[in-house]
């Protein structure tokens, strides 16, 4: 508890207080109190907030589209050893530093990278396509980075699923499609919500991926926070943006608490 | 031949061999520093690759060498409290800020015998009268680097870049970058007029649709990788890749409208853990051979007159107008003048325009 106060609540309090103060010499917060930084956050950086939410939502959706079938596939393997190996493969990228993986992805999508080389060689495009430093690159990087966080909770939910429910549904005349939507999907929903939150929340605060892969079109709210603290040293504005980010994340956590845990079989 | 004569001959032969291979520094380390540690905080790619190791060998000390992508990062860290760096390398504008905010330790020129090697042109400048806090290190310009083949024409002006149809990268050096746009518009690059700053901001948004990335002093890498065709970078960084690739693919130009000219300076930040050794290091860097090695490696201008006079700096660098501009070009160069009331206004304008540039 003391640990939580010291390393979480106290810094949070500093950030919260600083966000209502005026920017002084060297960017340090000074009196008097002001709401200017919040006004600026919404008026000027509003487009970036919306863009960030869009990126995070798209990342979550894509992770779900790829992650759910993957988890289903792994869970439905008969032999435990095979399941274990497949799960291990999902986790394997974590053994490599995130920066290294991002740079590896950059070498693939850059203008003179592998992907463009193949596209040109296969005659699909005339000139290399600009892929790096686009919003697409950011979402690709985020999906790549956070996909395991989606697969694992869904896998846990699918594995806990009692097969006999599905058999019972089939016996009662439900086709596979109907059995999925009426039985499997509702029973695995907590895993879906948990996985979605585990992707959505860190994706909102991401700054390494947009920094390296986003360029001007992929600027996210995390980059704004970082540049205020690092380069500019504008502590109050950085704090205000952080607080807004925090509230957005908090709403996400509430959603998780409300729907994520409920309905566990 | 007596043993002593034999020894002398051997030493002479060894010296001759050494001189033939490479001009050796005659700098000797003052005694009493062995075993100590020095922390240096410098820009990336801004020192010769053996400068630090040679210093460690000469003095028997250990050097912790860290780099920063932009001096705003360095400044932000120093403002929060120097974590123990003994040497930093701010530009003229940031030296003025650091003096104003009391972040620098005075430099004792008596401890720097090599001081006399410096070209007086670079001494006693407005940002630090009497050089009480700073020692000039190198100087250069912020101009345009580009890929000759991809661009397909000779870039000569900022407008060539602002209107270019293809990927471009600006640099995260707020005042110099906005100052460059200002000279392209015919506005004073040090303007404090809010309307003019707004106009610069609008101009950059209007001409920023080709900007794919705002680089952190790594623009030369983007150019080398083919990610962008045109990049705003510091002169030496482009000359470094031109030298490395041994090809004619790249070019650097000081644009016709004018360009930012800066002097980077060695300083000792408040909170330095070894101020005496920092002075020894400053003296070492001002040695003509050491300074020439750094200038030859980084391809920036050297204020070390002794190194130039002794012919230690590569001829091709000295005759390169992109590094040592002719008098006519010099007329068009501008310095960014520090004004703490303007810093926040420029920062705000930059943060806003960054959102709207790009596709």
């Amino acid at each position: 508890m003391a640990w939580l106060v010291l390393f979480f609540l106290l810094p949070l309090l500093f950030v919260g207080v600083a966000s209502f103060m005026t920017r002084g010499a060297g960017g340090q917060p000074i009196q008097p109190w002001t709401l200017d930084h919040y006004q600026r956050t919404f008026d000027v950086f509003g487009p970036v907030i919306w863009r960030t939410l869009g990126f995070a939502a798209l990342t979550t959706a894509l992770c779900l589209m790829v992650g759910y079938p993957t988890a289903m596939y792994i869970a439905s393997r008969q032999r435990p050893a095979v399941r274990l190996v497949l799960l291990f493969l999902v986790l394997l990228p974590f053994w490599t530093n995130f920066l290294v993986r991002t740079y590896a992805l950059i070498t693939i999508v850059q203008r003179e990278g592998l992907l463009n080389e193949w596209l040109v060689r296969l005659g699909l495009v005339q000139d290399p396509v600009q892929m790096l430093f686009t919003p697409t690159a950011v979402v690709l990087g985020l999906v790549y980075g956070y996909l395991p966080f989606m697969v694992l909770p869904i896998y846990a939910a699918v594995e806990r699923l009692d097969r006999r429910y599905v058999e019972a549904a089939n016996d009662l005349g439900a086709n596979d499609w109907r059995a999925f939507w009426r039985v499997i999907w509702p029973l695995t929903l907590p895993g879906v919500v948990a996985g979605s939150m585990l992707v959505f929340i860190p994706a909102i605060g991401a700054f390494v991926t947009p920094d390296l892969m986003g360029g001007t079109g992929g600027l996210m709210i995390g980059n704004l926070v970082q540049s205020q603290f690092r380069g500019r040293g504008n502590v109050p504005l950085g704090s205000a943006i952080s607080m807004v980010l925090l509230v957005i994340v908090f709403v996400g956590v509430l959603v998780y608490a409300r729907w994520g845990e409920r309905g566990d079989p | 031949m007596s043993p002593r004569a034999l020894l002398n001959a051997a030493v002479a032969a060894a010296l001759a061999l050494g001189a033939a291979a490479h001009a050796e520094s005659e700098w000797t380390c003052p005694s009493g520093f062995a075993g100590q540690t020095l922390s240096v905080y410098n820009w990336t790619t801004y020192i010769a690759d053996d400068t630090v190791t040679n210093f460690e060998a000469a003095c028997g000390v250990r050097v912790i060498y860290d780099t920063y992508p932009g001096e705003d990062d360095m400044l932000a860290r120093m403002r929060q409290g120097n974590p123990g760096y003994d040497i930093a390398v701010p530009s003229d504008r940031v030296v003025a800020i650091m003096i104003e905010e009391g972040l620098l330790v005075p430099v004792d020129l008596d401890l720097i015998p090599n001081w006399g090697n410096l070209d007086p042109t670079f001494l006693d400048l407005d940002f630090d009268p009497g050089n009480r806090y700073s020692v000039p290190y190198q100087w250069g310009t912020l101009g345009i680097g580009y890929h000759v083949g991809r661009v397909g024409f000779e870039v000569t002006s900022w407008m060539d870049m602002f209107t270019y149809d293809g990927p471009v990268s600006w640099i995260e050096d707020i005042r110099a970058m906005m100052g460059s746009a200002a000279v392209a518009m015919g506005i004073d690059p040090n303007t404090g007029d809010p309307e003019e700053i707004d106009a610069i901001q609008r101009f950059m948004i209007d001409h920023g649709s080709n900007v794919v990335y705002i680089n952190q002093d790594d623009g030369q890498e983007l150019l080398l990788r083919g990610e962008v065709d045109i990049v705003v970078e510091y002169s030496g960084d482009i000359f470094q890749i031109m030298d490395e690739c041994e090809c004619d693919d790249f070019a650097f130009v000081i644009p016709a409208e004018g360009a930012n000219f800066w002097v980077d300076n060695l300083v000792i930040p408040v909170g330095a853990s070894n101020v005496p050794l920092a002075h020894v290091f400053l003296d070492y860097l001002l040695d003509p051979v050491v300074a020439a090695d750094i200038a030859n490696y980084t391809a920036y201008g050297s204020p070390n007159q002794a190194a130039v006079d002794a012919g230690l700096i590569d001829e091709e660098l000295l005759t390169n107008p992109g590094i040592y501009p002719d008098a006519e070009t010099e007329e068009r160069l501008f310095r960014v003048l520090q004004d703490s009331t303007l810093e926040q206004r420029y920062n705000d304008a930059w943060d806003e325009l960054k959102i709207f540039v790009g596709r």
Side-chain angles (χ1 to χ4, degrees):
Chain A
M1 196 59 201
W3 177 84
L4 200 66
V5 171
L6 193 64
F7 291 109
F8 179 68
L9 286 179
L10 214 57
L12 191 65
L13 194 71
F14 284 143
V15 172
V17 170
S19 69
F20 292 103
M21 291 169 82
T22 306
R23 179 192 186 274
Q28 295 308 307
I30 53 166
Q31 294 290 347
W33 304 107
T34 175
L35 281 170
D36 282 0
H37 308 299
Y38 285 95
Q39 196 184 357
R40 199 170 146 75
T41 301
F42 291 113
D43 287 356
V44 178
F45 301 130
V48 184
I49 296 177
W50 286 113
R51 181 195 291 165
T52 303
L53 288 173
F55 284 180
L58 188 59
T59 302
T60 311
L62 289 171
C63 278
L64 186 60
M65 281 163 62
V66 179
Y68 198 94
T70 309
M72 285 288 277
Y73 177 82
I74 299 175
S76 62
R77 294 308 93 191
Q78 294 296 324
R79 291 172 52 198
V82 175
R83 290 206 294 271
L84 208 65
V85 168
L86 290 174
L87 273 183
F88 174 75
L89 288 178
V90 170
L91 285 172
L92 195 63
F94 282 120
W95 291 22
T96 315
N97 181 292
F98 182 67
L99 271 178
V100 175
R101 282 186 283 143
T102 306
Y103 276 111
L105 202 55
I106 289 175
T107 63
I108 295 172
V109 300
Q110 67 188 17
R111 196 151 71 130
E112 292 183 347
L114 280 175
L115 193 56
N116 264 321
E117 199 183 307
W118 289 339
L119 288 177
V120 172
R121 197 174 287 173
L122 292 172
L124 293 173
V125 293
Q126 289 291 311
D127 296 306
V129 188
Q130 177 88 42
M131 286 182 281
L132 190 61
F133 303 145
T134 61
T136 316
V138 178
V139 173
L140 178 72
L142 290 175
V143 168
Y144 173 63
Y146 296 132
L147 189 56
F149 294 114
M150 181 65 89
V151 173
L152 295 177
I154 296 179
Y155 172 80
V158 174
E159 226 206 355
R160 267 184 307 190
L161 183 77
D162 194 331
R163 299 266 143 200
R164 287 171 303 180
Y165 290 144
V166 186
E167 286 163 18
N170 286 335
D171 288 347
L172 291 169
N175 59 20
D176 285 350
W177 185 248
R178 204 171 155 85
F180 175 80
W181 281 115
R182 299 298 292 270
V183 179
I184 301 177
W185 177 256
L187 286 175
T188 53
L189 198 58
V192 171
V193 175
S196 299
M197 286 303 120
L198 285 178
V199 172
F200 187 73
I201 291 170
I204 286 178
F207 82 90
V208 175
T209 311
D211 196 41
L212 294 177
M213 302 187 74
T216 49
L219 188 80
M220 287 174 74
I221 196 167
N223 303 99
L224 290 182
V225 176
Q226 190 231 11
S227 66
Q228 291 310 324
F229 278 106
R230 224 181 86 183
R232 299 312 163 271
N234 189 344
V235 174
L237 180 58
S239 300
I241 306 172
S242 303
M243 293 307 285
V244 172
L245 190 62
L246 193 80
V247 169
I248 296 172
V249 170
F250 189 66
V251 170
V253 173
L254 279 183
V255 169
Y256 172 62
R258 174 74 178 74
W259 285 285
E261 298 296 335
R262 210 185 54 160
D264 266 20
Chain B
M1 208 179 245
S2 71
R4 164 156 295 205
L6 200 68
L7 188 69
N8 281 346
V11 168
L15 281 176
L17 267 176
H22 185 59
E24 288 296 323
S25 168
E26 288 168 13
W27 186 83
T28 50
C29 188
S31 59
F33 289 101
Q36 297 188 11
T37 303
L38 181 78
S39 297
V40 178
Y41 201 25
N42 195 2
W43 296 79
T44 53
T45 65
Y46 207 35
I47 200 161
D49 51 4
D50 58 356
T51 309
V52 166
T53 44
N54 288 349
F55 179 71
E56 286 180 319
C59 287
V61 296
R62 196 166 74 92
V63 174
I64 299 167
Y65 186 81
D66 289 345
T67 57
Y68 46 85
E71 57 185 345
D72 284 337
D73 292 327
M74 182 273 290
L75 182 60
R77 280 189 87 165
M78 294 302 174
R79 278 170 167 168
Q80 286 159 17
N82 179 6
Y85 291 112
D86 302 304
I87 298 280
V89 194
S91 72
D92 40 66
R93 174 183 70 92
V94 173
V95 168
I97 295 177
M98 293 179 86
I99 292 175
E100 195 178 300
E101 297 183 10
L103 297 173
L104 297 182
V105 174
V107 174
D108 186 350
L109 300 186
D110 293 339
L111 297 175
I112 307 177
N114 276 327
W115 182 259
N117 293 341
L118 289 166
D119 178 351
T121 321
F122 294 94
L123 301 179
D124 195 26
L125 296 175
D126 55 283
F127 56 89
D128 181 17
N131 286 84
R132 291 183 52 228
Y133 296 95
S134 67
V135 177
Y137 179 57
Q138 300 209 92
W139 56 275
T141 52
L142 183 73
I144 295 174
Y146 64 103
H147 189 290
V148 178
R150 286 181 195 276
V151 173
F153 61 90
E154 192 191 349
V155 175
T156 57
S157 68
W158 289 113
M159 283 317 291
D160 283 346
M161 179 194 76
F162 283 124
T163 56
Y164 178 68
D165 182 23
V168 166
S169 176
W170 292 351
I171 193 166
E172 181 89 29
D173 181 341
I174 301 174
R175 287 289 308 275
M177 191 64 228
M178 291 184 70
S180 302
V183 292
M185 301 167 69
I187 292 178
D188 171 14
N190 285 300
T191 182
D193 180 350
E195 280 178 22
E196 287 192 332
I197 295 175
D198 281 352
I200 299 170
Q201 187 193 40
R202 268 198 312 280
F203 175 88
M204 292 179 83
I205 292 171
D206 290 345
H207 294 85
S209 60
N210 57 2
V211 180
V212 296
Y213 192 70
I214 294 176
N215 73 69
Q216 304 267 352
D217 195 15
D218 56 352
Q220 74 273 24
E221 296 297 328
L222 297 174
L223 199 58
L224 203 55
R225 267 168 32 197
E227 203 56 54
V228 297
D229 300 344
I230 298 183
V231 62
V232 183
E233 252 295 358
Y234 304 115
S235 47
D237 286 347
I238 302 300
F239 288 119
Q240 285 168 34
I241 62 164
M242 286 163 70
D243 189 43
E244 274 167 32
C245 86
E246 289 176 353
C247 58
D248 299 324
D249 289 352
F250 306 107
F252 177 83
V253 61
I254 297 176
E257 300 97 329
N260 170 219
F261 144 77
W262 41 261
V263 184
D264 279 338
N265 306 272
L266 303 156
V267 298
I268 306 175
V270 163
S273 46
N274 198 340
V275 174
L277 186 56
H279 279 90
V280 175
F281 189 63
L282 293 181
D283 187 56
Y284 168 74
L285 291 178
L286 295 188
D287 177 82
V289 176
V290 176
D293 275 352
I294 295 171
N296 290 338
Y297 187 87
T298 61
Y300 283 104
S302 175
N304 199 308
Q305 192 61 47
V308 177
D309 291 345
L312 295 166
I313 294 176
D314 293 346
E315 193 58 31
E316 58 177 310
L317 296 179
L318 287 173
T319 54
N320 184 332
I323 302 174
Y324 296 89
D326 52 44
E328 187 211 343
T329 311
E330 258 175 46
E331 291 285 304
R332 294 181 274 126
L333 301 179
F334 67 88
R335 288 229 343 267
V336 171
L337 303 177
Q338 160 55 12
D339 182 340
S340 47
T341 57
L342 289 183
E343 188 190 352
Q344 188 57 24
R345 189 168 292 157
Y346 273 98
N347 285 351
D348 287 349
W350 175 257
D351 280 336
E352 289 169 22
L353 75 87
K354 253 172 96 171
I355 299 172
F356 299 105
V357 298
R359 285 164 229 257

